[in-house]
């Protein structure tokens, strides 16, 4: 049923309203440093079910649970030494850890899609932190876009995709990181890189003294990492030096285009601009050609998202 979506701001009044809506079991889109999330009380099965409905998301896809403080994680999951090191280094921040659940965790089983593990993250965004603290519980939040579409990095993107389908969006401007969190799971105690993201593989390797394992050959997987994802409407062609007829060019560094992710070749700037520029080029209609992005640092997360955007549509 269509509903009026409130456009709230990061004031005391806006935060109180957003926290109350979450307590009432309603859906609130909230800013994080990576992308806007579509939040619901992670203990309330009806509220979590509404996330899947609003996004039109396949129900086998588990959600990330957002917490106000690193210590809150110990209420839900069995901790290990690598998780401790990663959390100490990168929480609050754009890192998600997938760990085995305690039996009396109290989270809705819809959050985990029935898996024995849960994905946890402590966001660094001050407004996300204030909302999580005011709400006082775990918040399940996938990216706040209709399933399969481009992730939102502004409240405007959220409203474009979900207006009328959620109770409110809490607006605090554009997201600074711009790509989703890095997801690390564990095969026993061995860290496994399930999704490239805002914390780079190099940062993790420096901290742990070895690179995280690749998911292939491990007995854990990242369900929901569908090949075709983050898709603009038009066709996407990668590693382009110049546009073909009918294409809009997304540049990087010296390879220029209608828009340039970072004329200086700065990968952090490119990540922050990625989804906003996809939204803008998509609005022009037609196909999109994308300049090569170096496969290092945040470039790995950018290339992962670009590969999904360019994948054949299922
Ligand atoms: O930056 C982010 O991570 C954003 C913001 C809102 O926090 N959230 C986000 O959520 O990207 P979402 O739902 O779009 O992606 C969650 C991914 C799923 O696709 C799935 O691959 C993985 O997290 N995941 C969740 N629970 C898991 C589990 N128990 N085991 C393995 N992977 C899991
Ligand atoms: Mg998503």
């Amino acid at each position: 049923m269509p509903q009026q979506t409130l456009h709230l701001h990061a004031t005391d009044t806006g935060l109180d309203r957003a926290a109350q809506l979450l307590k009432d079991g309603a859906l609130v889109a909230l800013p994080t440093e990576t992308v806007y999330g579509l939040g619901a009380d992670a203990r309330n099965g009806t509220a979590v079910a509404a996330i899947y409905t609003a996004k039109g998301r396949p129900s086998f896809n588990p959600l990330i649970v957002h917490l106000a403080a690193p210590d809150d994680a110990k209420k839900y999951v069995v901790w290990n030494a690598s998780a401790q090191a990663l959390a100490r280094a990168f929480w609050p921040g754009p890192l998600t850890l997938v760990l085995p659940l305690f039996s009396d965790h109290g989270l809705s089983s819809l959050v985990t899609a029935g898996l024995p593990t849960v994905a946890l993250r402590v966001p660094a965004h001050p407004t996300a932190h204030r909302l999580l603290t005011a709400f006082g519980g775990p918040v399940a939040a996938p990216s706040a876009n209709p399933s399969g579409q481009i992730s939102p990095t502004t409240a405007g993107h959220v409203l474009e995709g979900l207006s009328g389908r959620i109770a409110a969006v809490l607006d605090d401007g554009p997201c600074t990181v711009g790509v989703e969190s890095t997801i690390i799971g564990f095969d026993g105690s061995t860290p496994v890189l399930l999704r490239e993201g805002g914390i780079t593989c190099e940062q993790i390797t420096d901290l742990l003294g070895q690179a995280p394992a690749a998911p292939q050959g491990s007995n854990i997987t990242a369900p929901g990492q569908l090949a075709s994802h983050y898709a603009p409407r038009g066709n996407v062609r990668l590693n382009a030096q110049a546009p073909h007829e009918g294409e809009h060019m997304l540049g990087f560094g010296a390879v220029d285009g209608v828009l340039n992710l970072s004329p200086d070749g700065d990968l952090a700037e490119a990540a922050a601009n990625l989804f906003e520029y996809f939204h803008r080029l998509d609005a022009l209609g037609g196909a999109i050609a994308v300049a090569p992005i170096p496969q290092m640092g945040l470039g790995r997360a950018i290339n992962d998202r670009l590969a999904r955007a360019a994948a054949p549509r299922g």
Side-chain angles (χ1 to χ4, degrees):
M1 227 207 312
Q3 54 186 311
Q4 178 77 36
T5 299
L6 297 173
H7 191 156
L8 303 173
H9 294 275
T11 58
D12 287 347
T13 320
L15 277 146
D16 283 351
R17 190 73 189 270
Q20 190 57 51
L21 285 166
L22 288 174
K23 287 177 193 167
D24 295 342
L27 302 185
V28 176
L30 64 146
T32 83
E33 69 277 27
T34 58
V35 301
Y36 275 72
L38 180 56
D41 182 345
R43 301 159 299 194
N44 178 338
T46 313
V48 175
I51 292 181
Y52 292 98
T53 312
K55 282 182 66 89
R57 170 178 247 198
S59 56
F60 51 75
N61 203 346
L63 307 175
I64 295 173
V65 173
H66 296 67
L67 304 170
D71 275 350
D72 294 346
K74 293 175 184 156
K75 293 183 208 161
Y76 303 106
V77 292
V78 183
W79 212 234
N80 67 50
S82 300
Q84 180 65 32
L86 288 162
R88 192 179 300 134
F90 303 121
W91 276 1
L95 175 74
T96 294
L97 297 175
V98 176
L99 288 158
L101 275 162
F102 289 136
S103 51
D104 55 348
H105 52 77
L107 301 172
S108 156
S109 60
L110 263 185
V111 168
T112 60
L115 294 169
T117 52
V118 70
L120 299 176
R121 167 158 123 77
V122 179
H125 196 291
T127 298
H129 179 77
R130 282 171 73 197
L131 178 59
L132 287 163
T133 305
F135 171 61
V139 170
S143 52
N145 52 282
S147 189
Q149 294 187 21
I150 304 165
S151 292
T153 54
T154 66
H157 298 160
V158 175
L159 290 169
E160 259 168 52
L162 298 175
S163 185
R165 306 172 76 165
I166 63 176
V169 58
L170 180 58
D171 187 345
D172 197 12
C175 303
T176 53
V177 175
V179 290
E180 294 87 345
S181 59
T182 300
I183 305 181
I184 298 278
F186 297 88
D187 188 355
S189 58
T190 305
V192 179
L193 181 62
L194 297 177
R195 179 175 75 183
E196 307 264 9
I199 297 291
T200 65
C201 194
E202 291 90 330
Q203 283 175 288
I204 291 166
T205 304
D206 280 352
L207 180 83
L208 298 177
Q210 60 179 49
Q216 295 84 1
S218 125
N219 55 19
I220 54 169
T221 52
Q225 291 294 88
L226 303 175
S228 166
H229 204 165
Y230 308 99
R233 281 168 305 202
N235 205 48
V236 177
R237 186 168 64 88
L238 305 181
N239 293 313
Q241 294 294 336
H244 292 165
E245 175 93 34
E247 286 178 341
H248 301 293
M249 181 81 192
L250 180 58
F252 176 80
V255 182
D256 210 3
V258 189
L259 293 170
N260 192 323
L261 288 168
S262 172
D264 296 334
D266 176 345
L267 290 166
E269 183 184 18
N273 286 332
L274 179 68
F275 292 133
E276 165 67 18
Y277 286 7
F278 260 178
H279 276 274
R280 285 197 215 167
L281 292 180
D282 212 20
L284 298 177
I288 300 174
V290 188
I293 309 290
Q295 181 68 355
M296 55 181 284
L298 284 172
R300 299 166 70 96
I302 296 171
N303 282 323
D304 172 76
R305 306 308 185 267
L306 288 172
R308 289 174 208 284
R313 311 293 157 80

